[in-house]
Amino acid sequence: MTPGAPTAPQLAARARMWRQKALYFLLFGGMACAWPWLPLLSEKRYSLGSAAVSRLAAARTLTGALVAPLWGAAADATGWHPRLHALSLTTSALVRLALALAPRACGEATLLALVIASEALGAAATCLADGSTNAALERAGMPLGAYGRQRLWGAIGWGWVFAPLSGAIIADLGEETRWVATFGLHVGVIFVTAALALTLDHTTPAARRSAMLKRKRSDDELAAFGGARGAPAAPSSSARRMARVLRHPRVALTYAAFFLAASFMGMVETYLFLYLDMLGGTTLLMGLALTFTCLSEVAIFFYAERIMDALGNDCSITFVFVCFAARFGLYGVLPVLGSPWIVLPVQLLHGITFGLFYAVGQRFTHTAAPAGLEATCQGLLNGCVSGGMFTGALLLGWPFAWDPQRTWLFFSCLAVFGG
C-alpha cells in the first residue's frame, strides 16, 4: 500500500459519507419550514407585538442553551446516540406542529410553553448530527476541516429548496391553511431525518486516536488542546475533565467570541423578517433572502478548510465580526436605498457570518474535546450558540421597537469592537 493512502476501512467509511450529507440536507431543509417563520407566525396569526416575539425567541434560545449539553451528556453516558437523536427530532417536530394548530385566540403563555417544549425536546438535533459527522470524518481518515463539505448540504436544503418552497406556500395559501401546510411539511421531512439518524455511527475507533492526535498537533493554533482529545483518559470524572479544558484561557476566550457572534446571529434570526415586513417586503422576498444566505454559505463551507488554514482561528473569527459590521450597517441603510429587495445581495455575507464561524467552532470544539466526551462538547458548543442567540434576541427587542434603522447601525458599530 502506498504510504499515506487510505486503508480499506477508511475507503469504506468515505463511501458512507453520503449519509452525513443527506442528514444535513434533510435536517436543515425541514427546519427551514419552521424556524425562520416563527416570528412572522407569532405576529400574523397570533397578533403578538415585537416585545412578545422577542420573549418567545429568547425563551427558545435560552432553552437550547440549557438543554443541549444535557442531551450530549446523556448520549455519551448511555451510548444511545442514534436513538436519542431520533427521539429528539420526532418529538420536537410534533410540538412545533402544535404551534401552527393552536387556536388563534390563545395567549402568549400558551405559545411560550409550546416554544420551550419544542426546543427542549429538539436541542439534540444539531449537536448529535455534528458529533456523528466528526466521528465519521475520523473513521474515514479525513481532516476535521472537511466538516464544511458535509455541512454545506444543510445550506442547500435550507436555502435552495425548502425555504423558497415554504415561502411560496405561505404566500399562496389562505391564512387558515398556510401555517399548517408549512409546519406539516416540517414534520414530514424531520421524520425522514429521524429514520436516517437511526442508521448513523457515532463511534471513533480507538486505533484512530493516535493518528488524529498527530494531525491535530500539526495545527499550531490547536496544538494546546489536542492532548485533551487524544491522550488516555485521566482517572477523574467527566465533569472534572471538561472543567480542565474550559479553564484554559485560550478556550475560554474563543468561546466568548463564539457567544458574541451567536448573539449577532440571534438578532438576524429574530428580527430580520419583521424588519423586511415593516419595509413592505413580501414572504417571497423573505424566502429568497434565505436562499441568498445559502448561496455564499455553500461556497464558504466548501472552502472552509482552506480559509481556516490560511487565516488561522483568530483571524477567521475577526473576519466574521467585520462581516457582521458590514451586514448590520447595510440593513440600517435599506430604507435610504429605496427597496427592501436590496437585502438579497447583503444576505451573501451570511456565508462568512455563519458558515465560517460555525466551521471554526466545529474544528475547535472537536479538537478540544476530551476522549469519550465528544457529544458533551458538541452540546456545549450548541449551548453556547443558543445562549448567545438568546442574548441577541433580548438585546435587540426594545431598541428595535423604538427605531429599527438606528438599532442595526448601532450594532454594526458594536460588531467592529467585537472584532
Side-chain angles (χ1 to χ4, degrees):
M1 178 181 293
T2 304
T7 64
Q10 289 172 349
L11 290 173
R14 293 183 185 190
R16 293 191 293 270
M17 289 301 293
W18 68 267
R19 295 189 297 178
Q20 306 303 137
K21 297 176 174 68
L23 176 71
Y24 285 121
F25 179 85
L26 293 168
L27 172 60
F28 288 96
M31 292 304 181
C33 301
W35 271 353
W37 305 109
L38 182 58
L40 205 63
L41 169 70
S42 304
E43 181 187 64
K44 297 296 185 182
R45 178 173 173 82
Y46 300 111
S47 303
L48 299 185
S50 60
V53 171
S54 172
R55 288 190 289 270
L56 291 180
R60 183 174 76 83
T61 51
L62 178 61
T63 302
L66 297 175
V67 179
L70 301 180
W71 277 103
D76 281 333
T78 62
W80 298 347
H81 297 76
R83 282 175 281 182
L84 291 178
H85 198 186
L87 177 67
S88 173
L89 289 165
T90 52
T91 55
S92 61
L94 291 173
V95 177
R96 290 190 192 101
L97 179 60
L99 284 166
L101 294 173
R104 296 173 64 92
C106 75
E108 180 185 344
T110 301
L111 297 178
L112 183 63
L114 290 173
V115 166
I116 291 174
S118 68
E119 192 61 26
L121 291 169
T126 303
C127 68
L128 291 183
D130 290 337
S132 70
T133 298
N134 286 323
L137 290 172
E138 291 198 21
R139 291 194 305 274
M142 299 169 66
L144 294 178
Y147 164 85
R149 298 197 177 194
Q150 320 310 314
R151 177 61 177 76
L152 66 84
W153 287 93
I156 293 173
W158 176 287
W160 294 14
V161 180
F162 289 97
L165 177 60
S166 57
I169 290 173
I170 294 171
D172 292 344
L173 296 184
E175 183 62 32
E176 295 302 320
T177 56
R178 63 177 65 177
W179 302 111
V180 174
T182 189
F183 277 72
L185 178 61
H186 162 76
V187 171
V189 176
I190 292 300
F191 267 64
V192 176
T193 309
L196 177 60
L198 285 171
T199 71
L200 299 180
D201 184 0
H202 290 250
T203 61
T204 302
R208 292 294 305 154
R209 295 290 172 92
S210 61
M212 288 304 298
L213 179 57
K214 292 178 182 178
R215 180 175 294 113
K216 289 165 189 169
R217 282 176 174 165
S218 68
D219 186 338
D220 291 337
E221 304 235 12
L222 300 177
F225 317 118
R229 174 74 174 89
S236 58
S237 70
S238 297
R240 288 180 180 177
R241 293 163 62 204
M242 283 299 307
R244 281 200 298 270
V245 174
L246 295 175
R247 281 200 301 266
H248 195 291
R250 181 62 169 262
V251 175
L253 288 173
T254 302
Y255 272 95
F258 291 161
F259 182 90
L260 182 58
S263 71
F264 291 154
M265 287 197 303
M267 296 174 188
V268 174
E269 180 177 298
T270 305
Y271 296 103
L272 178 60
F273 280 9
L274 297 179
Y275 184 54
L276 293 177
D277 187 59
M278 292 177 185
L279 298 179
T282 63
T283 54
L284 174 60
L285 171 62
M286 297 172 197
L288 288 174
L290 295 176
T291 301
F292 270 66
T293 64
C294 295
L295 290 173
S296 59
E297 187 179 324
V298 168
I300 294 300
F301 271 134
F302 188 83
Y303 292 107
E305 183 179 4
R306 294 185 185 181
I307 296 171
M308 291 186 292
D309 288 343
L311 296 180
N313 280 349
D314 292 346
C315 289
S316 294
I317 294 172
T318 298
F319 188 32
V320 167
F321 284 112
V322 169
C323 290
F324 264 123
R327 188 175 183 179
F328 288 169
L330 290 168
Y331 286 165
V333 299
L334 276 180
V336 179
L337 298 177
S339 172
W341 286 83
I342 298 175
V343 76
L344 295 181
V346 179
Q347 293 299 88
L348 295 175
L349 289 169
H350 181 81
I352 301 296
T353 58
F354 175 73
L356 182 59
F357 154 72
Y358 204 70
V360 172
Q362 283 300 312
R363 185 167 76 167
F364 187 89
T365 296
H366 196 68
T367 305
L373 296 179
E374 293 85 357
T376 302
C377 283
Q378 290 295 332
L380 285 174
L381 174 64
N382 284 83
C384 178
V385 171
S386 295
M389 295 180 73
F390 160 76
T391 304
L394 284 184
L395 283 177
L396 208 63
W398 178 81
F400 185 86
W402 169 64
D403 191 329
Q405 185 178 1
R406 292 183 181 179
T407 299
W408 289 121
L409 294 174
F410 170 78
F411 281 101
S412 174
C413 297
L414 184 61
V416 174
F417 289 104

